Amino acid sequence: MNDSTKNVATPPPVPKKKLQMAVYWGAACGGCCVSVLDVHEALFLVLEHADLVFWPIALDTKYKDVEAMPDKSIDLTLFNGAIRNSENEHIAKLLRQKSKVLVAYGSCAHMGGIPGLANFSTKEKLFQRVYKDTESTVNPDNIRPQTSYTVPEGELTLPVFYNDVKPLDKVVDVDYYIPGCPPQTERLVDVFKLIVTGATLPPAGSVVGVFDKGQCDCCKRTKSDNKKIKKFYRPWQIQDDGETCLLEQGIICMGPATRGGCGARCIDANMPCRGCYGPPPDVADPGAKMMSAIGTMIDSDDPMEIQEIVKGVVDPGGTFYRFSLPSALLRRTVQ
Amino acid sequence: MSYEPKLVAFLCNWCSYTGADLAGTSRTKYSESVRIVRVMCSGRIDPTFVLKAFREGADGVLISGCHPGDCHYHEGNYKALRRYHLLTPYLVQMGIEPERIRLEWVSASEGNRFAQIVDEMTATLRTMGPSKVQATMANYA
Amino acid sequence: MNPQRIGVYVCWCGSNIAKIVDVEKVARVMARIPGVEVSREYKYMCSDPGQELIMKDIKELGLDRVVVASCSPRMHEPTFRKTLKLAGLNPYMLEMANIREHVSWVHENQELATAKAINLTRAAVHRVMVHAPLVQHEVPVNRATMVLGGGITGMTAALRIAGQGRKVYLVERSDELGGRAIGVGRAGPHMNSVAALLDNLTTRVNDSAYIDVLTGTVVGEVSGFVGNFLVRLANGTRELTVGAIVVATGTQPFDAKKLHRSGYGRFPNVVTSTQFEEMAASGRFTTESGKAPRRVAIIHCVGSRDSETHSYCSRTCCMDALRFSNILRDALPDAAIYQAYSDMRAFGRDAEEFYARTAERDVTFLLFDKLLPPTVSEAPAGDPYPLLVTMDEIATGIAIEVPADLVVLMVAREACSDAKDVAKLVSISVDKDGFFIEKHPKLDPAATTTDGIYIAGSCQGPKDIPDCMSQAGATAARVLAAITMGKVKVPATTATVNEDLCVGCQTCISVCPYGAVIYLDKHRVSRVEEVICKGCGTCAAACPAGTISPRHFTDNQVLQQLEGLLAAEEG
């Protein structure tokens, strides 16, 4: 040891300011929040570098606490869930105001996700079903939720239920998208590491936490150019051989039209990819692209036979836009 | 002003676009409703184009290529045929009436036929009234 | 990104456009679109002063993109591309709006026509904003040619090409040259010796230092592209590299067994025209019993002009039938000769005269309606002749029975049964009857839609010997013109794969009619062989990952065009 330094007091380490982080759910199932919990041991890494300042599923922080935070005081917000009602929209706007970086986390925030399938219906039809027509409902007075109600103590409010489900970027500017239903936790950790190591982040608007290539790149099944479909099968209608590309067996797999990131996990479990990771770059509408590709594969030149084969695609909208309907070119049924 | 339908026609370069040119050189009159987009082959027509046309306000879409067996690129028109039949049920599911999309084969010598198809389809669209796609998509509720 | 500097030029086309479309208004509206630097109208854009106007603006205003709203791009796109090139701009930075053929010539309402012209021109402006400069490449051409088929056509084409000192591989499946002409004695109307013609051609082919004759040889696989084909022969021992391929695979005779009414295969005294040629070559005309026939009935259109078999006319059988009558009359002065025909197609020089001369040689012509062709049946026991030809003779209006001891069926010529395989081998198309389709029936009858592949002779449709030889000459000239240049231009508007994003699903591979999209196993991506690609864009529409882009017809270009096309009305 160098004598000259011997008696110099070592300054106490200046604690690096931790990343101020929030996680919020809009119209979501909770799976995205669980995917954050799924970091397992990496939780130590996360906690070493980040303070969670707002996370309704795990912390008892109130909206008013968030409202009290200075603008841009949250470094990173992972917003999961779609925008289904006025509460979702209000908090999205609030978190946008308070956050430096706002991430649309998971398929619902990214593209609308499973809640977005409600866009095949309308608010009125949904209310009619839920508050009136369901077999177990007894509602002779046809009572519907009221968004405000005055009681002696004051006014009670409920969020306004919207007719249209929206992805997050339809109500606020989004910096990054981490797709998936839910996002593969390892991808979140990848992104988190990038942020805490101070690496140069990709340009705003980028989809991150994904692989460069689409699902097929990770898929272990054998693929050939023999993509001819004489009959469409839903997964339960056919004994899959476990080895051949599902499309080549007549099972609609969104894999080629979907970004990689999950590691083709559904396909590994012998289920076709449903497209939760969203479209590859530069694809305007993943469902249309897949229809274009699948149409090419139909093995007939006869209009009548083609129409017969196409009947095998039960629910084309739900098949080709399972996770992406609210961000598709036709984002809902025509009214 | 009265309702003037907007019909977007995707025509292949070799048969249908040439057929539409022939209608011109033959001075065959037809409705002003049609707006033509040229692609090299009907096999190029991606359903994305059709959806985009509706989204941007088209009241109807016509897809037209060479007659079966006559495709300049051997069989691109069969790809168009299959995609059309796959796309149509989706459009119907989304609330777009099937009469708003049509696939017709028009050869380079069928200028009259092109004009006739445009007039027929325009009449149908006029009866149906404007497409509600653009308004639905533009207005969130 | 650099601000775009677009020039818009709206053409009056004299009064062709201007009398229906308010061209000034179109130009005025375009001038308001951001990015449009200048918007003008002019009487004739395609005229020299019109083009000079564009060139001057490109140079003086620094335009980087041009929209011409005028006639069909099928008419003047090459003209205006050249204009851009002359002014130093990439020719693909042009977009045209067709406001003549698609607007002023087909519409009468000036207001609506003008609105439509504005939409089309605005669409062109939006589209040109996302145009990219493209480069047309040249590739060297191998000057050797493969001729597929060693019949009269193939040999003639080979000799014409070899005559210019170019290497030819003449590939013939059978063991000898000559094709369907082997065994044909003479050809009408002048009764020239076909054998002598064949002998002449075969000798010259075998003697040519430039022709490599490969008989007994079948082609296994053809790969590559114009100027650079690699041909693998089926025996696997040899590969040929050629720049052009001439397909001259001819026809085959129709199998008359398929027509029950013809009696063929059921009655021994019913023979086909092919079998009759053999009789004629041997000089011995006999019936089943070994005697010379006394009553011969020649029936036309067996398998031709018939909804059950082939709807087309086989073109050569009428003249053959007349020739057969003359041969029979020479050999059997006392025999009765009948010709049952439905239309006598004796077209071309000297053919009608040949028909007239034949009619004077005591040949009886019987006319039938092609919808009611004659039926051949067995004569009742005890009849002097074994066969009966039953028909409605429409010249007299009488239903007749012609007793005969020999019936000759003029069988159709049809596409070879493996024509589709040949077409697939070289990536060309067949029509509904299996004949190969030329690039254009009038403008380019010897070429096909696949560059470097040419056709000649009756594989394109039935032809007689002079027509086959003429087309062989034309095809040879077409080949020579292509290979003499030594290089070939590859279109710039080809598809390209973004290999960084391609997932290797291989949907695109089987979609390409030309085999231009190949899968690279090692890299697990597809690649477009741009020299083979024709730019149809079908692979791009088939690609689920959106990684294939057909240059000049990209998704973005079409989507931008649609936005412009449907933008709200203005001005």
Side-chain angles (χ1 to χ4, degrees):
Chain A
M1 187 172 277
N2 188 332
D3 272 358
S4 64
T5 62
K6 197 175 174 181
N7 299 319
V8 176
T10 308
V14 178
K16 193 181 157 218
K17 189 174 181 310
K18 282 192 184 179
L19 200 68
Q20 303 296 294
M21 190 172 158
V23 182
Y24 183 74
W25 53 356
C29 67
C32 282
C33 287
V34 173
S35 82
V36 178
L37 288 172
D38 271 350
V39 296
H40 300 304
E41 310 85 76
L43 185 63
F44 295 112
L45 171 87
V46 173
L47 294 179
E48 186 188 333
H49 293 281
D51 278 333
L52 281 153
V53 296
F54 178 52
W55 190 4
I57 201 173
L59 308 170
D60 190 19
T61 322
K62 305 294 187 199
Y63 288 168
K64 62 174 168 31
D65 302 328
V66 181
E67 280 157 10
M69 292 176 188
D71 286 359
K72 305 291 171 204
S73 61
I74 304 174
D75 296 299
L76 174 68
T77 293
L78 303 181
F79 189 108
N80 67 80
I83 305 300
R84 170 19 109 215
N85 60 30
S86 57
E87 180 190 15
N88 304 148
E89 180 165 358
H90 170 72
I91 302 299
K93 285 178 172 159
L94 177 66
L95 286 169
R96 173 70 278 183
Q97 189 188 333
K98 304 295 176 190
S99 309
K100 290 197 186 84
V101 174
L102 176 66
V103 175
Y105 186 78
S107 305
C108 300
H110 177 208
M111 303 181 292
I114 295 293
L117 292 171
N119 285 0
F120 283 121
S121 188
T122 61
K123 173 182 173 178
E124 179 47 38
K125 282 185 197 158
L126 293 172
F127 276 21
Q128 177 69 21
R129 174 83 186 138
V130 171
Y131 297 108
K132 181 87 177 143
D133 295 344
T134 13
E135 292 72 6
S136 57
T137 300
V138 180
N139 184 3
D141 299 331
N142 200 18
I143 295 165
R144 295 286 176 92
Q146 301 299 306
T147 52
S148 69
Y149 189 70
T150 310
V151 289
E153 293 80 0
E155 192 187 29
L156 297 173
T157 60
L158 275 179
V160 178
F161 186 93
Y162 292 159
N163 187 61
D164 301 329
V165 176
K166 288 174 267 196
L168 180 62
D169 64 7
K170 286 283 185 279
V171 295
V172 292
D173 288 338
V174 168
D175 296 305
Y176 299 108
Y177 302 85
I178 298 181
C181 182
Q184 190 63 24
T185 304
E186 294 91 315
R187 300 291 90 69
L188 168 63
V189 174
D190 293 344
V191 175
F192 188 79
K193 279 181 183 162
L194 274 183
I195 294 171
V196 296
T197 55
T200 314
L201 295 175
S206 298
V207 177
V208 297
V210 288
F211 298 143
D212 292 338
K213 293 215 175 195
Q215 292 290 351
C216 302
D217 199 51
C218 291
C219 167
K220 296 186 196 78
R221 287 172 180 256
T222 55
K223 297 163 201 78
S224 75
D225 59 9
N226 184 32
K227 291 196 164 41
K228 294 192 188 327
I229 300 176
K230 205 84 189 173
K231 181 170 165 49
F232 288 103
Y233 296 95
R234 304 173 93 179
W236 51 269
Q237 289 174 316
I238 188 173
Q239 184 78 44
D240 156 34
D241 69 13
E243 286 170 4
T244 314
C245 168
L246 291 164
L247 283 165
E248 286 164 37
Q249 299 185 64
I251 302 166
I252 296 179
C253 173
M254 289 287 284
T258 304
R259 275 186 203 258
C262 64
R265 299 204 340 154
C266 293
I267 302 164
D268 259 3
N270 298 325
M271 287 302 279
C273 171
R274 264 61 189 260
C276 72
Y277 260 75
D282 303 327
V283 169
D285 187 295
K289 267 275 176 271
M290 201 63 206
M291 278 190 265
S292 202
I294 294 264
T296 311
M297 298 173 199
I298 294 171
D299 188 18
S300 173
D301 293 339
D302 172 55
M304 301 305 283
E305 192 185 16
I306 293 170
Q307 286 177 67
E308 231 11 78
I309 295 173
V310 161
K311 282 183 191 159
V313 186
V314 183
D315 183 14
T319 303
F320 297 116
Y321 296 92
R322 180 161 309 195
F323 293 90
S324 62
L325 183 62
S327 60
L329 278 167
L330 303 182
R331 58 171 186 81
R332 66 158 303 108
T333 47
V334 175
Q335 292 179 291
Chain B
M1 197 171 132
S2 66
Y3 160 57
E4 289 301 327
K6 288 182 284 221
L7 172 60
V8 171
F10 294 98
L11 308 186
C12 84
N13 180 61
W14 304 96
C15 289
S16 309
Y17 192 92
T18 311
D21 276 1
L22 177 65
T25 45
S26 317
R27 310 298 198 274
T28 308
K29 305 297 179 218
Y30 58 85
S31 167
E32 293 86 354
S33 64
V34 67
R35 305 174 190 187
I36 293 169
V37 174
R38 179 171 68 134
V39 287
M40 293 311 283
C41 177
S42 55
R44 171 69 186 103
I45 301 166
D46 186 317
T48 309
F49 302 167
V50 177
L51 301 182
K52 178 74 172 176
F54 280 118
R55 175 71 184 254
E56 296 297 322
D59 298 300
V61 171
L62 171 66
I63 296 170
S64 185
C66 309
H67 284 269
D70 287 348
C71 175
H72 183 80
Y73 302 103
H74 304 209
E75 44 195 29
N77 50 359
Y78 290 117
K79 311 290 190 297
L81 173 73
R82 299 171 199 165
R83 291 187 192 126
Y84 163 79
H85 284 298
L86 185 62
L87 178 64
T88 305
Y90 167 67
L91 293 179
V92 171
Q93 189 180 7
M94 296 312 289
I96 297 174
E97 305 90 327
E99 294 81 7
R100 293 194 187 273
I101 181 163
R102 235 171 113 170
L103 172 77
E104 291 289 348
W105 310 126
V106 174
S107 81
S109 60
E110 294 177 325
N112 284 331
R113 182 174 147 75
F114 176 75
Q116 191 191 334
I117 290 167
V118 167
D119 281 346
E120 271 175 28
M121 213 174 157
T122 305
T124 307
L125 295 175
R126 210 180 283 283
T127 316
M128 295 173 77
S131 158
K132 298 189 187 80
V133 175
Q134 193 182 26
T136 299
M137 303 310 156
N139 302 315
Y140 285 90
Chain C
M1 198 167 149
N2 294 329
Q4 296 179 326
R5 301 178 70 83
I6 304 166
V8 180
Y9 300 89
V10 186
C11 184
W12 298 26
C13 196
S15 64
N16 277 298
I17 294 172
K19 78 170 176 197
I20 299 288
V21 173
D22 181 347
V23 287
E24 287 172 23
K25 183 175 174 184
V26 177
R28 215 163 50 232
V29 173
M30 293 309 121
R32 293 203 291 265
I33 301 177
V36 173
E37 187 67 18
V38 61
S39 182
R40 302 182 195 277
E41 21 81 27
Y42 186 72
K43 202 151 188 173
Y44 289 106
M45 285 318 308
C46 64
S47 68
D48 284 349
Q51 293 189 57
E52 277 155 20
L53 184 67
I54 299 175
M55 289 194 276
K56 188 163 167 278
D57 281 354
I58 291 172
K59 287 175 188 155
E60 290 179 2
L61 303 174
L63 301 183
D64 63 356
R65 276 142 233 268
V66 171
V67 167
V68 180
S70 58
C71 50
S72 172
R74 294 183 57 86
M75 177 100 175
H76 271 312
E77 196 170 56
T79 310
F80 292 114
R81 278 189 179 159
K82 217 155 105 193
T83 311
L84 265 67
K85 200 173 172 190
L86 282 172
L89 261 190
N90 185 286
Y92 293 90
M93 302 310 273
L94 166 80
E95 179 64 8
M96 289 183 72
N98 185 346
I99 61 167
R100 190 181 72 176
E101 282 85 344
H102 293 183
V103 182
S104 67
W105 280 353
V106 289
H107 301 323
E108 289 166 314
N109 180 320
Q110 295 188 355
E111 195 186 329
L112 291 175
T114 301
K116 176 172 168 182
I118 288 171
N119 289 323
L120 294 182
T121 312
R122 193 202 295 109
V125 171
H126 280 237
R127 191 188 205 276
V128 85
M129 285 181 190
V130 290
H131 275 201
L134 301 179
V135 184
Q136 203 169 13
H137 296 285
E138 279 183 341
V139 291
V141 163
N142 182 315
R143 289 187 163 125
T145 302
M146 175 174 74
V147 175
L148 207 53
I152 285 183
T153 308
M155 287 196 284
T156 305
L159 283 167
R160 293 281 157 77
I161 297 167
Q164 295 298 309
R166 301 293 182 202
K167 179 79 193 173
V168 179
Y169 298 98
L170 181 57
V171 178
E172 166 58 41
R173 174 163 55 180
S174 72
D175 291 330
E176 62 177 321
L177 295 173
R180 296 285 167 201
I182 296 171
V184 176
R186 293 180 177 279
H190 302 113
M191 305 300 269
N192 310 93
S193 166
V194 176
L197 171 68
L198 269 187
D199 195 39
N200 171 304
L201 289 172
T202 313
T203 307
R204 283 162 60 207
V205 163
N206 283 325
D207 287 351
S208 170
Y210 294 100
I211 303 178
D212 200 344
V213 179
L214 303 164
T215 48
T217 304
V218 174
V219 172
E221 192 185 333
V222 175
S223 57
F225 48 88
V226 55
N228 300 274
F229 293 107
L230 182 66
V231 179
R232 198 177 49 74
L233 302 179
N235 55 20
T237 54
R238 200 166 163 191
E239 282 184 343
L240 314 174
T241 50
V242 297
I245 295 173
V246 175
V247 181
T249 48
T251 54
Q252 67 184 26
F254 169 72
D255 179 6
K257 284 201 193 86
K258 290 179 184 165
L259 280 178
H260 188 264
R261 65 167 183 265
S262 76
Y264 188 68
R266 297 189 290 136
F267 312 125
N269 289 315
V270 178
V271 299
T272 65
S273 35
T274 316
Q275 289 169 307
F276 185 84
E277 292 281 11
E278 287 163 15
M279 275 191 200
S282 72
R284 289 183 59 245
F285 300 93
T286 54
T287 64
E288 167 74 5
S289 60
K291 292 182 200 150
R294 287 173 295 148
R295 292 173 73 94
V296 184
I298 300 173
I299 302 176
H300 287 229
C301 295
V302 178
S304 303
R305 308 177 66 227
D306 166 36
S307 58
E308 274 179 61
T309 53
H310 299 304
S311 55
Y312 59 83
C313 164
S314 292
R315 264 190 95 190
T316 55
C317 357
C318 281
M319 293 307 285
D320 283 341
L322 294 177
R323 179 163 58 86
F324 290 177
S325 298
N326 281 286
I327 291 169
L328 277 168
R329 181 53 73 229
D330 290 344
L332 308 166
D334 298 327
I337 303 171
Y338 298 92
Q339 289 225 19
Y341 72 107
S342 87
D343 283 297
M344 185 61 72
R345 300 206 161 165
F347 54 90
R349 213 169 72 185
D350 296 336
E352 189 65 23
E353 292 86 338
F354 181 52
Y355 175 26
R357 282 202 305 279
T358 307
E360 282 165 15
R361 300 190 70 188
D362 197 16
V363 175
T364 307
F365 288 88
L366 304 168
L367 185 61
F368 66 84
D369 183 333
K370 70 172 180 169
L371 298 175
L372 291 168
T375 301
V376 181
S377 58
E378 201 166 16
D383 271 23
Y385 298 95
L387 299 168
L388 279 181
V389 178
T390 310
M391 64 181 279
D392 287 340
E393 209 291 321
I394 57 176
T396 55
I398 301 170
I400 58 169
E401 283 181 342
V402 182
D405 50 6
L406 183 67
V407 170
V408 181
L409 305 173
M410 302 309 299
V411 292
R413 300 176 66 195
E414 63 185 13
C416 293
S417 50
D418 60 353
K420 278 191 175 157
D421 300 332
V422 174
K424 201 164 180 186
L425 188 72
V426 293
S427 293
I428 60 175
S429 313
V430 296
D431 70 10
K432 64 177 173 36
D433 298 308
F435 293 111
F436 301 135
I437 301 175
E438 64 288 322
K439 190 167 189 177
H440 190 286
K442 295 182 182 69
L443 300 177
D444 209 351
T448 67
T449 52
T450 300
D451 286 344
I453 310 290
Y454 304 88
I455 49 176
S458 49
C459 61
Q460 185 216 15
K463 287 181 190 63
D464 61 10
I465 292 173
D467 280 3
C468 280
M469 294 182 74
S470 302
Q471 200 190 7
T475 305
R478 188 75 174 72
V479 168
L480 286 165
I483 61 180
T484 303
M485 294 301 289
K487 51 193 175 184
V488 62
K489 277 198 171 166
V490 178
T493 52
T494 51
T496 173
V497 179
N498 181 346
E499 292 177 16
D500 291 340
L501 294 177
C502 172
V503 297
C505 71
Q506 303 171 51
T507 307
C508 51
I509 305 293
S510 56
V511 168
C512 180
Y514 309 100
V517 195
I518 52 167
Y519 182 67
L520 307 176
D521 271 310
K522 197 177 151 200
H523 305 282
R524 293 191 294 148
V525 294
S526 292
R527 182 173 291 170
V528 175
E529 287 284 4
E530 294 183 15
V531 279
I532 311 177
C533 174
K534 300 277 186 198
C536 68
T538 303
C539 60
C543 175
T547 59
I548 305 184
S549 199
R551 294 190 179 93
H552 217 56
F553 286 89
T554 65
D555 280 8
N556 194 27
Q557 285 165 349
V558 177
L559 297 178
Q560 290 296 320
Q561 185 178 1
L562 285 167
E563 283 185 14
L565 193 65
L566 291 159
E569 304 298 327
E570 55 190 304

